[in-house]
């Protein structure tokens, strides 16, 4: 019982402001918006662009410099390093193992959560149904506030697992933790640096189909809705991986002068 209480009290760590700035600048570098050898905007300009303090900007630039992506030149400013394309190629190789983990997690979730949804449709009581609905509307609230929806997404699936009245379904999701939602921007397995409203709206529509099936007590419809949702998640993740791999390949070719 104490363990369950501790789990309920866990909160997701929100990214620091400097991490958000680092992610945005990395995205610009990867997209070639700022080329190797070129100067970054001034500290004052970055402060205005991101709406943060100079301290946050300095912390972000220090992180980028520590990663070897930029270098400060006395009296001249901060410049993108010349070997950045090669570095992003190495980053792609490192991400490969993480990508495999994310896809493996989604595969495991398919095996677990299809039946979880079916059992929830049969067994859930009024309080459990309300918990599923609450997580659904929390996702909507976060989406409207342009905040990461991952915590509410996981809470939605966890509430369904709880509604099976079999504690091992909940335990399995708790073991996966943040890995269960690899496409959220706060996840270390994320393929995106910016939350897409269109993408999140699609997820919420899929959640609604699952929710309606469970509240209707239709076990087969609930299973099929969960299967469709998680299968679509797998496909979306693969598509983003492919797009990223194409970008990295072109970056490496560009660095080699091909």
């Amino acid at each position: 019982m104490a363990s369950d209480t501790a789990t309920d009290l866990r909160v997701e760590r929100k990214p620091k402001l400097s991490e958000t700035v680092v992610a945005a600048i990395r995205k610009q570098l990867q997209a070639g918006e700022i080329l190797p050898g070129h100067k970054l905007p001034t500290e004052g300009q970055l402060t205005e662009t991101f709406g943060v303090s100079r301290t946050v900007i300095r912390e972000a630039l220090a992180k980028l410099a520590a990663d070897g992506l930029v270098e400060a030149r006395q009296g001249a400013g901060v410049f993108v390093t010349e070997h950045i394309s090669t570095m992003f190629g190495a980053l792609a190789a490192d991400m490969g193992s993480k990508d495999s983990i994310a896809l493996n997690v989604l595969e495991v979730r398919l095996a677990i959560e299809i039946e979880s949804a079916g059992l929830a449709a049969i067994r859930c009581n009024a309080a459990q149904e309300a918990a599923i609905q609450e997580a659904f509307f929390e996702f909507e609230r976060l989406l409207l506030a342009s905040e990461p929806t991952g915590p509410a997404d996981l809470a939605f699936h966890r509430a369904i697992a709880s509604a099976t009245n079999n504690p091992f379904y909940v335990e399995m999701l708790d073991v996966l933790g943040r890995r269960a939602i690899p496409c959220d921007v706060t996840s270390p397995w994320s393929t995106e640096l910016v939350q897409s409203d269109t993408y999140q709206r699609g997820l919420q529509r899929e959640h609604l189909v699952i929710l309606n099936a469970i509240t209707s007590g239709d076990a087969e419809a609930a299973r099929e809705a969960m299967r469709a949702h998680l299968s679509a998640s797998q496909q979306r993740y693969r598509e983003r991986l492919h797009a990223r791999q194409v970008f990295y390949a072109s970056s490496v070719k560009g660095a080699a002068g091909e």
Side-chain angles (χ1 to χ4, degrees):
M1 195 71 177
S3 175
D4 290 342
T5 302
T7 299
D8 293 339
L9 292 175
R10 277 190 315 208
V11 295
E12 294 289 335
R13 171 186 171 275
K14 292 185 177 180
K16 295 170 59 178
L17 289 176
S18 60
E19 292 173 349
T20 302
V21 174
V22 167
I25 294 177
R26 275 180 175 272
K27 186 178 180 182
Q28 289 180 307
L29 298 178
Q30 291 171 350
E33 295 175 15
I34 309 175
L35 299 174
H38 285 216
K39 183 180 178 181
L40 288 182
T42 65
E43 189 177 283
Q45 290 170 327
L46 291 172
T47 297
E48 292 184 10
T49 298
F50 292 103
V52 296
S53 68
R54 287 179 179 267
T55 300
V56 170
I57 294 299
R58 288 168 188 160
E59 186 177 340
L61 293 177
K63 171 59 177 171
L64 291 167
D67 290 342
L69 301 180
V70 302
E71 58 184 4
R73 298 178 187 172
Q74 187 66 36
V78 178
F79 292 77
V80 180
T81 55
E82 295 287 352
H83 56 293
I84 189 171
S85 294
T86 302
M87 292 185 64
F88 279 132
L91 178 61
D94 176 64
M95 284 298 293
S97 60
K98 293 182 179 179
D99 297 337
S100 297
I101 291 173
L103 288 171
N104 286 342
V105 166
L106 287 169
E107 187 175 276
V108 169
R109 288 183 62 198
L110 268 166
I112 296 170
E113 293 194 65
I114 291 173
E115 186 60 21
S116 172
L119 291 174
I122 298 170
R123 299 175 178 174
C124 74
N125 57 40
Q128 291 166 337
E129 184 178 311
I132 299 171
Q133 292 175 339
E134 182 180 346
F136 176 86
F137 288 117
E138 175 62 7
F139 186 108
E140 185 75 13
R141 185 191 70 78
L142 292 171
L143 182 55
L144 292 174
S146 297
E147 296 179 20
T149 55
D153 195 341
L154 181 56
F156 177 78
H157 287 274
R158 192 177 186 280
I160 292 172
S162 180
T164 66
N165 291 294
N166 180 335
F168 290 104
Y169 279 102
V170 178
E171 187 175 319
M172 289 298 294
L173 275 185
D174 286 347
V175 167
L176 294 176
R178 290 177 62 198
R179 292 175 296 182
I181 314 294
C183 291
D184 185 63
V185 291
T186 63
S187 169
W189 292 269
S190 179
T191 53
E192 299 184 18
L193 296 176
V194 178
Q195 178 167 289
S196 163
D197 183 80
T198 301
Y199 172 75
Q200 300 294 323
R201 284 288 169 197
L203 286 181
Q204 188 70 325
R205 284 193 296 272
E206 292 169 11
H207 286 168
L208 180 59
V209 177
I210 297 169
L211 174 62
N212 286 340
I214 291 175
T215 56
S216 297
D218 191 332
E220 284 309 310
R223 290 187 183 100
E224 186 51 42
M226 184 64 79
R227 184 193 306 277
H229 172 53
L230 294 178
S231 295
S233 293
Q234 279 185 316
Q235 184 59 31
R236 282 187 288 260
Y237 196 82
R238 288 193 180 103
E239 288 172 355
R240 281 159 178 76
L241 291 184
H242 177 70
R244 190 176 63 191
Q245 288 162 359
V246 168
F247 170 77
Y248 283 134
S250 63
S251 296
V252 171
K253 285 182 179 179
E258 296 179 13

